[in-house]
Amino acid sequence: MWRVNILLSAVLLFSGCLYAQSGQDLESIMAVLGTDAPEDIEPDDVERLSSYMSSPIDINNASCSELISSELFSSYQIASLEDYIARHGNIMSFAELAAVDGFSSGMVNRLKPFIRIGNSSFLHVSNRNSYDISLRSSLKLLHSGISYVPSWHYGLKCEADLSEWLSLGISGSRPYDALAIYPSVISGNLAFSFRKPAIRIIIGDYKARFGQGLALWHGMSFGSFSSPSSFMKKPSGISPSCTFSGNSSASGVAVDYVAGNIFISVLLDFPDLKKKSDLSLVREMVPAMNVTWRSSRGHCSFTHVQNCLMTGYGVRIPEMKSSIDAAFCLRGVNLYGEIMYDWVRGIVPFVAGVGFNAGECVNNAFLVKYMDGDLSMAALCSEYLSADKRHNAVISLESVLYQIAKTEDADKSLQLKGSLLWKFQPFSGFDVKFRLSERFRSWGDMFRTDLRVDMGYSCCNFHCRCRFNMLKCKETGYMGYLESGYVNGGFSLYLRQGVFFIDEWADRIYVSERDVPGSYNVPALYGRGEWTSLVGSYRVGKLMRIYLRFSYFAYPFMPEKNRKPGKAELKMQLVFKF
């Protein structure tokens, strides 16, 4: 069977086919986030940026709060954009946007899929009611050794702009392992936005992200430093959250108010409104506030968070944190940082960084971080882009010192990481990506070497991409796949087939899988097996699009006594926009 699969993939390869979540979606998301591997992307960011790709933000008519919440722009870029529009009127083209201070042609090219250039004279025409409804259902089959055991999942999400000032988001889903048939995971919110006065109120699920994430940063954050643009976090203030997974960062009430250059945010979080993460601990209401001052060169802000844990024995454990952060652009040099004081433990974590260009082709970044009296980190990165834009090289180094040792026979523990990325495009439609990373630890499996090569070719509507990965930690693991696809207007189809030989869990390799909108699937490959996935979409009329995904994992190369059970999944999703 596996020989047939490989032969089929080879035929599709030579028929000429590039990869993406939908078209070039995933590649665009990677570019704007500053990462070179889809496995490093946060699932929350995939869902958030995918929504902007379907409904781009209007840079001429969006409010300052909307621009900040998008996390697409730095504070300096937003201030520079507002100043330019106030002086010269609306931006009329992407070329004009590239000429605005703080932007560049490369930056604008990365932003194009997520923004649009609107005309304010049509502002009232565009403010009509809009609805975005997604309905999904999926079936998973797990092999028990005798037969396949089925389990199923479904979800429904609706996001609606009911008026110019009111929006609604609500979702419910039933996970695979749920016992009841009704939705057990619910997420949603109501958002009120007023221009005069400039107030926004969110009731329900929301995210709050301020500073560089020391005092308050809801949502996942892996902290990848794979490019200079990934070093500085872009605070987004408060923003509504509505996801299929229901993993909203906060549930309660959040309000922000804009008065000139002053932004004030106040929020109340009820962590145990839905469920308790620990039966022995109950989190009481969490009040927090932020005051931010913005100028044409950047911003500085103050954040305060107060929390309390109640144990099952009636003991209260207080938590209180305050931080000051700032980010400025001075003569092309980005300076940013945050310092926090923990009032209970008396510690002072901080993070500080700088980003600057060395000539027109080299971009650099440096960052230091001190956390909780345990972890100290330093990272630096340099990126080179050739004048003809065919060569792109990135070198990054990172060191982490743990004051509390990971082993009993040492006082401290050290971890070092280094990576080299080289991208080459010899001619239009063909690209090669080479990445080599090395990790050293003073404990456990000391060395971990990861070598990855990607090649892609695109011709008209046909695309293909192949990847080879070798990872050596405890032993040596190998993985390779071939993906072919066809995209033509309202129709797209992608077939991926791969094999892996990984005998140790320490050598596992993560691979990003294409999925339906709102999902992000990164399985860890372990064992000796193969997999096949088929993802397609078709637009029906102007209002509906159908997505289908089929995946199958099997382990035919493992000895029968150690063979892992196979699994298959079929997923369908309907998306309505009107």
Side-chain angles (χ1 to χ4, degrees):
M1 179 64 182
W2 66 273
R3 293 184 177 88
V4 175
N5 291 336
I6 295 176
L7 179 60
L8 178 59
S9 296
V11 172
L12 287 174
L13 171 64
F14 288 104
S15 65
C17 300
L18 228 158
Y19 77 118
Q21 176 136 342
S22 176
Q24 290 293 332
D25 289 5
L26 192 56
E27 191 77 4
S28 299
I29 292 173
M30 290 166 56
V32 78
L33 292 176
T35 181
D36 60 272
E39 293 75 26
D40 295 335
I41 305 176
E42 302 172 11
D44 178 70
D45 287 332
V46 174
E47 189 167 354
R48 174 177 58 85
L49 292 174
S50 295
S51 66
Y52 281 115
M53 298 188 83
S54 60
S55 301
I57 187 170
D58 187 344
I59 61 171
N60 282 323
N61 299 314
S63 65
C64 185
S65 295
E66 291 171 335
L67 293 174
I68 294 170
S69 298
S70 70
E71 296 185 53
L72 293 171
F73 313 93
S74 67
S75 300
Y76 170 64
Q77 288 173 327
I78 294 173
S80 178
L81 180 62
E82 290 182 323
D83 180 68
Y84 184 91
I85 293 176
R87 292 173 179 268
H88 305 285
N90 283 351
I91 303 291
M92 302 305 294
S93 67
F94 288 115
E96 184 179 1
L97 178 62
V100 177
D101 193 18
F103 293 84
S104 64
S105 58
M107 171 65 70
V108 172
N109 286 334
R110 291 193 291 269
L111 290 174
K112 275 183 180 180
F114 312 97
I115 63 175
R116 65 183 180 89
I117 297 175
N119 191 322
S120 60
S121 62
F122 299 101
L123 181 60
H124 296 290
V125 177
S126 61
N127 282 331
R128 61 181 180 87
N129 296 357
S130 63
Y131 302 87
D132 189 343
I133 300 175
S134 299
L135 175 64
R136 69 165 54 169
S137 179
S138 55
L139 174 68
K140 182 184 291 185
L141 300 175
L142 299 176
H143 201 280
S144 62
I146 301 176
S147 62
Y148 282 94
V149 178
S151 60
W152 60 285
H153 153 84
Y154 71 86
L156 174 65
K157 181 169 69 171
C158 175
E159 295 177 290
D161 293 324
L162 302 177
S163 68
E164 182 180 350
W165 53 272
L166 177 62
S167 63
L168 166 70
I170 186 169
S171 69
S173 63
R174 177 195 183 275
Y176 280 116
D177 56 355
L179 299 177
I181 62 173
Y182 53 81
S184 58
V185 178
I186 299 176
S187 173
N189 57 71
L190 273 174
F192 304 85
S193 300
F194 306 97
R195 290 187 177 266
K196 293 183 180 180
I199 297 177
R200 180 170 55 171
I201 304 171
I202 302 174
I203 302 174
D205 297 330
Y206 64 88
K207 293 184 176 67
R209 297 182 171 185
F210 300 103
Q212 296 298 301
L214 293 185
L216 186 59
W217 190 278
H218 287 144
M220 300 179 64
S221 180
F222 295 144
S224 173
F225 301 110
S226 55
S227 72
S229 60
S230 65
F231 274 52
M232 182 176 68
K233 291 186 175 181
K234 299 174 183 177
S236 61
I238 62 172
S239 58
S241 175
C242 179
T243 64
F244 277 114
S245 64
N247 295 328
S248 300
S249 302
S251 297
V253 181
V255 180
D256 65 10
Y257 172 68
V258 181
N261 293 333
I262 304 297
F263 292 70
I264 302 174
S265 301
V266 180
L267 57 96
L268 293 176
D269 178 17
F270 299 89
D272 294 294
L273 185 63
K274 294 182 178 179
K275 60 181 180 180
K276 298 180 178 64
S277 57
D278 189 336
L279 296 178
S280 64
L281 296 175
V282 177
R283 291 182 178 270
E284 297 181 345
M285 181 183 68
V286 181
M289 60 89 65
N290 172 269
V291 179
T292 301
W293 173 78
R294 301 182 184 275
S295 72
S296 60
R297 290 296 174 186
H299 81 274
C300 61
S301 75
F302 169 78
T303 305
H304 181 78
V305 183
Q306 192 164 326
N307 192 9
C308 188
L309 298 176
M310 177 70 74
T311 68
Y313 301 97
V315 179
R316 297 168 63 91
I317 305 174
E319 292 182 355
M320 188 165 64
K321 302 175 182 179
S322 300
S323 74
I324 298 175
D325 69 272
F328 290 94
C329 183
L330 304 175
R331 296 185 178 181
V333 178
N334 289 312
L335 301 171
Y336 57 93
E338 182 176 10
I339 183 169
M340 185 192 79
Y341 181 67
D342 190 319
W343 294 89
V344 177
R345 291 185 290 173
I347 60 175
V348 187
F350 68 87
V351 57
V354 58
F356 61 94
N357 294 331
E360 297 182 356
C361 299
V362 181
N363 189 17
N364 304 285
F366 176 72
L367 178 141
V368 293
K369 182 184 291 186
Y370 172 79
M371 295 292 294
D372 298 338
D374 174 30
L375 183 151
S376 302
M377 188 190 75
L380 60 90
C381 185
S382 183
E383 180 179 22
Y384 167 78
L385 179 63
S386 64
D388 60 5
K389 299 183 179 180
R390 292 192 173 187
H391 295 270
N392 180 218
V394 182
I395 299 176
S396 63
L397 300 172
E398 176 185 333
S399 64
V400 181
L401 178 64
Y402 297 91
Q403 300 293 338
I404 301 177
K406 301 293 184 178
T407 56
E408 297 180 356
D409 57 349
D411 295 331
K412 301 178 181 180
S413 295
L414 176 67
Q415 176 174 287
L416 301 175
K417 287 183 180 180
S419 67
L420 169 65
L421 171 68
W422 175 60
K423 301 177 184 178
F424 175 52
Q425 187 173 16
F427 55 86
S428 179
F430 180 74
D431 67 277
V432 180
K433 184 189 299 183
F434 171 87
R435 186 176 74 167
L436 175 64
S437 63
E438 181 69 43
R439 185 205 69 193
F440 167 79
R441 285 178 174 176
S442 60
W443 74 94
D445 299 316
M446 299 179 64
F447 293 95
R448 183 178 184 272
T449 305
D450 189 357
L451 172 64
R452 172 173 172 174
V453 180
D454 294 81
M455 292 186 294
Y457 176 68
S458 177
C459 179
C460 300
N461 297 328
F462 296 93
H463 315 278
C464 74
R465 193 161 196 92
C466 60
R467 169 182 168 185
F468 171 76
N469 214 151
M470 183 188 73
L471 193 146
K472 181 175 177 57
C473 184
K474 186 177 290 290
E475 296 292 337
T476 303
Y478 301 93
M479 187 281 301
Y481 72 70
L482 175 65
E483 182 176 77
S484 305
Y486 175 81
V487 180
N488 185 7
F491 175 77
S492 67
L493 184 66
Y494 292 92
L495 172 66
R496 176 184 291 184
Q497 294 183 295
V499 294
F500 52 94
F501 298 88
I502 304 170
D503 295 327
E504 296 289 342
W505 176 249
D507 303 319
R508 64 191 180 275
I509 297 176
Y510 292 93
V511 177
S512 173
E513 281 288 296
R514 196 179 320 281
D515 212 321
V516 298
S519 295
Y520 188 59
N521 184 24
V522 187
L525 301 183
Y526 166 59
R528 297 192 174 194
E530 61 171 342
W531 86 96
T532 298
S533 66
L534 184 67
V535 182
S537 69
Y538 179 69
R539 186 172 63 234
V540 181
K542 296 182 179 180
L543 302 180
M544 185 178 73
R545 194 175 188 101
I546 303 174
Y547 295 86
L548 285 172
R549 180 180 188 271
F550 170 77
S551 64
Y552 174 72
F553 277 80
Y555 300 86
F557 312 121
M558 298 183 67
E560 187 171 353
K561 63 177 181 179
N562 298 327
R563 186 170 299 172
K564 298 175 61 177
K567 59 182 178 180
E569 183 181 42
L570 177 63
K571 182 181 293 186
M572 182 181 73
Q573 181 164 314
L574 305 179
V575 177
F576 302 89
K577 292 180 180 291
F578 53 94

